[in-house]
């Protein structure tokens, strides 16, 4: 089997960190489905002796932690949950609270930096949830959970400081950006 193809699949799965369609792999790597499926089977065997496994569910594959290491991962997650949110987490949570549901791309545009770590941290704590966008099912959006409201001591998201004013300003900024993009 072509080790290079296995390496590429492993790299893509590691980078995406979520279930990835076999069709996406065939398109991205520009090889036939049969070659991808062979490489996936070979990669499964390779990873069986490691700390990760290749999980295949219907037409999607993803990297997961080896089941025998679950207690180690649970301990790490518990330690992460006990840490402060930090500035990046608070910024990201505020953006999602005032603008949500909001895409990762929008969050990163507002913050000006990659927000993957902050989003992961907030997801682990149950403060945000990730869903398909209603306007485009291919896109994922983030919104706050009831746990966030409890964490902040609120009964409703609109109880956030200056909620109405901030959300109106965000809508105005979005409209301005859209108008400028249409002009170009």
């Amino acid at each position: 089997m072509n080790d290079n193809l296995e390496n590429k699949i492993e790299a893509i799965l590691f980078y995406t960190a979520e279930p990835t369609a076999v069709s996406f792999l065939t398109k991205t790597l520009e090889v036939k489905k049969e070659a991808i499926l062979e490489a996936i089977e070979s990669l499964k065997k390779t990873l069986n002796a490691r700390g990760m496994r290749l999980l295949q569910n219907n037409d999607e594959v993803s990297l997961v932690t080896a089941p025998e290491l679950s207690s180690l991962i649970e301990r790490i997650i518990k330690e992460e949950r006990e840490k402060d949110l930090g500035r990046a987490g608070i910024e990201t949570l505020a953006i999602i609270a005032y603008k949500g549901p909001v895409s990762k791309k929008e969050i990163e545009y507002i913050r000006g930096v990659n927000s993957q770590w902050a989003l992961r941290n907030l997801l682990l704590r149950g403060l945000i949830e990730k869903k398909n966008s209603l306007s485009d099912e291919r896109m994922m959006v983030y919104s706050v959970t009831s746990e966030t409201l409890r964490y902040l001591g609120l009964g409703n998201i609109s109880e956030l400081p200056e909620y109405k004013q901030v959300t109106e300003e965000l809508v105005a900024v979005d409209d301005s950006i859209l108008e400028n993009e249409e002009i170009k």
Side-chain angles (χ1 to χ4, degrees), residues 105-156:
K105 182 178 176 181
E106 290 174 287
I107 293 166
E108 291 177 344
Y109 178 80
I110 293 167
R111 290 193 64 230
V113 295
N114 183 317
S115 299
Q116 183 63 38
W117 183 255
L119 289 168
R120 178 184 175 278
N121 192 7
L122 293 169
L123 283 165
L124 280 174
R125 293 169 185 244
L127 297 175
I128 61 171
E129 59 187 355
K130 184 165 113 172
K131 296 180 179 176
N132 287 342
S133 169
L134 295 175
S135 62
D136 181 355
E137 288 195 16
R138 297 172 295 170
M139 183 173 62
M140 300 302 286
V141 292
Y142 297 89
S143 55
V144 295
T145 63
S146 56
E147 182 65 26
T148 304
L149 298 177
R150 193 170 74 200
Y151 181 80
L152 297 173
L154 304 173
N156 188 306

Side-chain angles (χ1 to χ4, degrees), residues 4-181:
N4 193 25
L5 185 56
E6 283 181 47
N7 292 344
K8 289 176 182 177
I9 292 171
E10 184 177 11
I12 290 169
L13 296 177
F14 180 80
Y15 173 76
T16 60
E18 61 186 20
T20 303
V22 171
S23 58
F24 174 80
L25 295 172
T26 60
K27 179 182 171 193
T28 303
L29 298 172
E30 299 175 338
V31 296
K32 293 185 178 187
K33 184 177 180 176
E34 294 75 26
I36 294 291
L37 293 175
E38 277 183 44
I40 286 171
E41 286 305 315
S42 182
L43 185 56
K44 276 183 189 177
K45 291 174 186 165
T46 301
L47 292 176
N48 269 340
R50 314 225 5 186
M52 292 189 299
R53 298 291 183 270
L54 189 74
L55 179 68
Q56 191 168 5
N57 184 17
N58 298 321
D59 190 43
E60 294 184 328
V61 290
S62 58
L63 291 176
V64 297
T65 307
E68 62 271 15
L69 299 174
S70 63
S71 62
L72 170 67
I73 301 305
E74 286 172 10
R75 192 173 78 229
I76 293 169
I77 290 170
K78 183 179 180 209
E79 288 172 12
E80 284 181 347
R81 285 182 181 162
E82 292 173 358
K83 288 182 187 175
D84 286 340
L85 284 178
R87 181 179 171 170
I90 292 169
E91 284 177 2
T92 305
L93 184 59
I95 292 166
I96 295 167
Y98 282 99
K99 191 164 172 38
V102 61
S103 70
K104 181 178 182 256
K105 182 178 176 181
E106 290 174 287
I107 293 166
E108 291 177 344
Y109 178 80
I110 293 167
R111 290 193 64 230
V113 295
N114 183 317
S115 299
Q116 183 63 38
W117 183 255
L119 289 168
R120 178 184 175 278
N121 192 7
L122 293 169
L123 283 165
L124 280 174
R125 293 169 185 244
L127 297 175
I128 61 171
E129 59 187 355
K130 184 165 113 172
K131 296 180 179 176
N132 287 342
S133 169
L134 295 175
S135 62
D136 181 355
E137 288 195 16
R138 297 172 295 170
M139 183 173 62
M140 300 302 286
V141 292
Y142 297 89
S143 55
V144 295
T145 63
S146 56
E147 182 65 26
T148 304
L149 298 177
R150 193 170 74 200
Y151 181 80
L152 297 173
L154 304 173
N156 188 306
I157 195 74
S158 63
E159 294 175 15
L160 282 169
E162 302 175 18
Y163 182 78
K164 185 176 181 184
Q165 177 188 349
V166 172
T167 54
E168 287 172 357
E169 288 175 10
L170 286 170
V171 168
V173 168
D174 283 349
D175 291 344
S176 171
I177 290 170
L178 286 174
E179 286 174 14
N180 287 335
E181 286 181 2

